[in-house]
Each structure stands twice: as structure tokens, then as C-alpha cells.
Amino acid sequence: GPACPQAPSPWLPEMLGRSSMVTDEACLYLNVWTPDLTRDAKLPVLLWIHGGGNVEGSGEWPPLGETLARGGIIVVSINYRLGIFGFFASPELSAESPRHVSGNYGQLDQLAALNWVRRNIGRFGGDRDQVTVAGASSGSLDICNLMASPLATGLFQRAILQSGVCVDSIFPSSSQAEASDSSFAKQLGSPTVPSSLAELRSIPAERVLDAATKDRRLDLEPLVDGWFLQEQPAAIFAHGRQSEVPVLVGSNENEVSIFASDLVGGKSYRPGTLVEYRQWLSRRFGVLADQVFAAYPAHDDNDVVAAFTTMDTDFDFGFGARLLAEESFQSCRHVYLYHFTYTGRQKFASLGAFHSEESMFLSKRYWTSWTSTPGDEQLSNAIITYWTRFARTGDPNGSGLPPWPVYEPNQYLCQVLGERITSEPVPRSRKFDIFQKRLTARLASLAGDDTVSPHP
């Protein structure tokens, strides 16, 4: 089926080798791949939630269904509403809702897909009590939110999170989101906010999408609505109230390098001088800026890009992956942490192990400019084997591959997936203390005291 409405993505030519996608408002389709249609096959199920910042993508990002189904599991990939159609909140929408909430529609679509699987997957040879949710980037963050939502309890038994978590972030409340989003109608010529809902529904989807894409004030993301998310996911995980399911989670060595790359039209800001680097740190970390600089120093302007890339990768991805592993261990001992380190050739050589790269190996669908080497196939087969074993049993271990140790606090061991596969301490893990300090302070300020603080 068509993808959900979205702006043209500069990632698409590299990721799927085309410049556009077929989109439609009637987009809530899912796809099923199964190696056995026998009703009593009772095969484990992997439900894939695509990434794309919750503003772009589809169930074919990446096209991994056929590849993983060959490993003896059923694969379901889904679409869910994106951007303005998936995460817009307004007082008018909340007023007409039986739950008196708005927003989080994209996440509710994911819940609907999980409920569909529970009702129907047996007809495709699947076991509804062996469902693994897996996803990358924003899809991984959404899975983290599903783990924190009481509405998803019992709908999945395992979770794979690739480069995206919810435990290191603070999401807006319903009132904050409504205040931010309610002014959007004015961009479409609405003179007054009270009449905006009816007007928005009368406007073609393409025009709404175009206006939302241009409005930088819109903050379209999951929100704490008191229904899907009853409180901050970071607080839920800190107190061990999330779903108690086995977790496989990780991040890549050079996550943020791709966001400034011409390969995907990247325009992410990069400080070029020491002064700019310190200014960025001050804006983001405030009184903790000097401590972050001490942990990720640059001695002169030539060091700035490398220092910033490492710091931002750890801040946005590495720290959160380890924190989720840490907090998941408190409620479920079956936790596996990975660190992806594989570097491509030619155009990709300078990017290191960039954001979303591991999904190529999971799907065996490589980007358009990717230069293949013999090592690609070896790593791809290892990742597919680890992932499908985890989907079957909640444990990636088995014969033929290096053992993957269970994550345990204070040991900080992860599985390195790259030119070599081995278990090592999480890189730069001791530097994460400063990010923990910032998160703890933010949670304490929300709670009004220090009773809501993540595990150290």
C-alpha cells in the first residue's frame, strides 16, 4: 500500500534508489512475510517499526521482510501516520476526544497494528505470544514509548531497539504541545484558533503537509498525554514500571556524521571553531557546558568537528542505549547491548559507522552508493542470526557466532559488531556521567524534588 503523507525525503535516493514514494491518506497498511502458512506452525513474529524522525518513511524502510523471514520467523512491517497527521495536538481535537487528549496518533497506529497481530497472526502461522517489536531511529524511540505505555502491556514479549530510546529525553505535555501546535492554523489562513479544526479538515492534505513542513515552530513528536503516555518515559523506566521484556539495544560509533552529509542532503549544524563549539555546548548544557567540554575536549579549531561528532553521538545515542540497558536490567535480566562499528568504503569511508547503517546489514539491501566487500556478507549474516535468534528465544546466543554476554550494571559490556565481533566495555562509558547529571536535574525539576532520578 502507499506510504503515509510526507515531504520528499533527501534520504530516499540513497536508501531505496528512487526519488519519490507513492503516498496517500489511506496509508494504514501492513505487510506480512511468512515461511509457513500452517495455522499450528506457531512461528515467532517480528513486527518492524520504521524510522524517519516520525515525519517520513514507510514499512519498506528498509525492505527486510523477505530476508528475515528466510530465518524461520514471520515478519510484519507497518505504516503509521507521520508528522502533522501523526502527532498534531490541539485543544479542539482534545475536546472532541472521548479521552480528552490529542496527538500520539502515529503511536496509536502502532498499537492498532500490534492488536491486529494478536488477533490475526495465527492465520499466517504465527504465535501471538512470541512477538518481538523491532525498529530503528524514531521507530526505536517509539518502541521505547510502547514499553512505557500501559496500553501496550502484553502485546509484545521482546524488543529490539536500534539507535533510538526514550529514556534520555523529556517529552512535552499535552498542554505544552497544544499551545505550540494550535497556532499552526494561522499558517493556513485561519483568522481564529477556535474555528481552526473545521478549517483544517476542509483543506487538502498536500497543503496541510506543505505548511507543516515549512513551520519550524511545530514540535511534532510523542507527548505525555495522560493516556498513551501517563508520565515521562524517562521516569517510568527509572522506577522500573516499563514492560518487563527481554531487550536488545544498541547504537553506532559515528551516529551523527550522516546528518551533515551530502549523500542524504544533510544540513545538520556543525561548529567549525572552538568558539562555536563552546557556544553550542553552552546553549545545550548551560552550567554543565564546561564539564562536557572537559569530557570531549578540542585543543584547536582542527579538533572541533571530531570532538563534536563524538560528543553528539554519545549524547544523543550512546548514553541513552546504555541507560536503557541499565534500567531494563533492573526489571528483566535478559538485556543485550551492542555497539556497531563497521565503516564502509569510498563515499562512506569518512562517515564511520553512521546512523541507520546497521539496517542495511539486517536487510541485505545496501544503499545506492555502497561499495560491497566480502566483509559485508559475513557481518550481515551475523546480525541477521543474532536478531532472529533473539526473536525466537529472547537470547541472541547460539552456535557458530561469538558469545554475546548479558548486560550487567558496573561491567558495561557490549557486543561490538564490525570488522570483528567481540564483547568489550562500552566505549567512553565513563564520560556519560555528565549526561546523566543533566537528565537527573531535568527530571528532578519536573518532579519538584529529587525523587525521580534514573539509576546511576
Side-chain angles (χ1 to χ4, degrees):
C4 292
Q6 57 194 277
S9 171
W11 290 59
L12 195 56
E14 269 297 332
M15 290 185 72
L16 294 179
R18 47 192 156 104
S19 58
S20 63
M21 301 176 67
V22 176
T23 64
D24 194 278
E25 285 188 87
C27 61
L28 297 183
Y29 293 90
L30 54 77
N31 308 286
V32 181
W33 289 264
T34 176
D36 189 344
L37 275 171
T38 308
R39 280 178 177 261
D40 60 359
K42 294 290 186 180
L43 295 175
V45 181
L46 184 145
L47 183 140
W48 178 259
I49 300 179
H50 70 78
N54 282 328
V55 297
E56 62 186 26
S58 79
E60 57 181 315
W61 283 30
L64 46 68
E66 186 176 352
T67 298
L68 295 185
R70 290 196 185 104
I73 64 173
I74 290 177
V75 179
V76 180
S77 71
I78 69 171
N79 288 345
Y80 56 94
R81 282 170 287 179
L82 302 166
I84 189 68
F85 304 106
F87 296 91
F88 180 72
S90 81
E92 293 77 34
L93 286 169
S94 296
E96 74 173 17
S97 164
R99 303 291 176 181
H100 306 293
V101 297
S102 59
N104 287 337
Y105 302 112
Q107 298 246 231
L108 294 173
D109 292 342
Q110 296 161 11
L111 276 173
L114 282 164
N115 276 297
W116 185 95
V117 166
R118 186 151 190 84
R119 293 192 307 269
N120 297 291
I121 205 63
R123 304 180 185 186
F124 297 86
D127 184 348
R128 71 177 197 169
D129 294 318
Q130 289 194 76
V131 176
T132 299
V133 282
S137 192
S138 61
S140 177
L141 179 147
D142 292 345
I143 289 170
C144 186
N145 287 337
L146 289 168
M147 292 178 67
S149 174
L151 303 186
T153 301
L155 294 180
F156 57 91
Q157 289 69 46
R158 301 181 258 284
I160 298 175
L161 301 97
Q162 301 171 205
S163 299
V165 298
C166 61
V167 297
D168 58 350
S169 304
I170 302 298
F171 294 114
S173 66
S174 288
S175 59
Q176 290 171 326
E178 289 176 0
S180 171
D181 295 354
S182 62
S183 63
F184 172 71
K186 296 179 181 179
Q187 298 294 314
L188 299 173
S190 172
T192 59
V193 173
S195 62
S196 64
L197 187 56
E199 291 182 359
L200 281 172
R201 285 179 170 149
S202 69
I203 295 171
E206 293 79 6
R207 184 180 166 199
V208 176
L209 176 63
D210 182 62
T213 302
K214 296 175 180 177
D215 190 343
R216 296 185 177 276
R217 295 173 299 175
L218 276 174
D219 189 13
L220 300 170
E221 60 178 323
L223 57 93
V224 178
D225 59 0
W227 170 237
F228 174 74
L229 289 177
Q230 296 185 355
E231 59 181 304
Q232 290 291 340
I236 292 172
F237 274 82
H239 290 298
R241 295 194 295 266
Q242 75 277 15
S243 296
E244 297 181 3
V245 298
V247 168
L248 189 155
V249 60
S251 62
N252 300 354
E253 172 64 17
N254 310 98
E255 294 271 9
V256 303
S257 62
I258 192 69
F259 300 130
S261 171
D262 292 338
L263 278 170
V264 295
K267 298 178 181 178
S268 180
Y269 172 74
R270 292 289 181 269
T273 66
L274 273 173
V275 171
E276 292 172 350
Y277 182 30
R278 282 192 171 277
Q279 288 173 340
W280 189 96
L281 292 175
S282 181
R283 290 192 299 270
R284 181 59 59 91
F285 295 101
V287 296
L288 297 176
D290 287 344
Q291 295 181 51
V292 178
F293 182 82
Y296 298 89
H299 301 291
D300 55 43
D301 291 352
N302 294 326
D303 297 337
V304 166
V305 172
F308 177 86
T309 300
T310 301
M311 180 279 303
D312 204 24
T313 288
D314 286 353
F315 173 55
D316 283 337
F317 296 96
F319 163 62
R322 198 207 70 181
L323 179 60
L324 186 137
E326 193 90 3
E327 294 177 336
S328 296
F329 178 85
Q330 307 302 322
S331 57
C332 179
R333 297 296 190 261
H334 301 285
V335 178
Y336 301 89
L337 180 65
Y338 74 84
H339 187 69
F340 185 85
T341 63
Y342 196 80
T343 299
R345 306 296 187 267
Q346 296 185 7
K347 291 184 178 180
F348 294 91
S350 63
L351 297 178
F354 58 89
H355 186 68
S356 79
E357 183 189 347
E358 81 289 350
S359 290
M360 291 193 286
F361 293 82
L362 186 63
S363 63
K364 291 187 182 289
R365 174 66 179 265
Y366 296 93
W367 287 13
T368 304
S369 301
W370 187 264
T371 300
S372 296
T373 69
D376 297 354
E377 187 72 5
Q378 182 178 358
L379 180 58
S380 175
N381 290 337
I383 289 176
I384 290 171
T385 300
Y386 279 137
W387 265 233
T388 53
R389 281 176 178 168
F390 182 83
R392 289 192 199 97
T393 67
D395 185 338
N397 287 291
S399 62
L401 286 175
W404 187 333
V406 172
Y407 180 86
E408 294 186 34
N410 302 319
Q411 292 189 9
Y412 301 138
L413 286 180
C414 66
Q415 193 79 340
V416 175
L417 303 174
E419 297 281 354
R420 57 194 180 90
I421 299 176
T422 185
S423 56
E424 292 182 354
V426 177
R428 303 175 297 278
S429 186
R430 298 297 179 185
K431 296 177 183 287
F432 296 172
D433 290 348
I434 187 59
F435 303 138
Q436 181 72 73
K437 185 181 295 187
R438 177 180 184 269
L439 177 61
T440 300
R442 295 184 73 194
L443 284 170
S445 68
L446 288 175
D449 55 31
D450 60 359
T451 60
V452 183
S453 58
H455 300 288

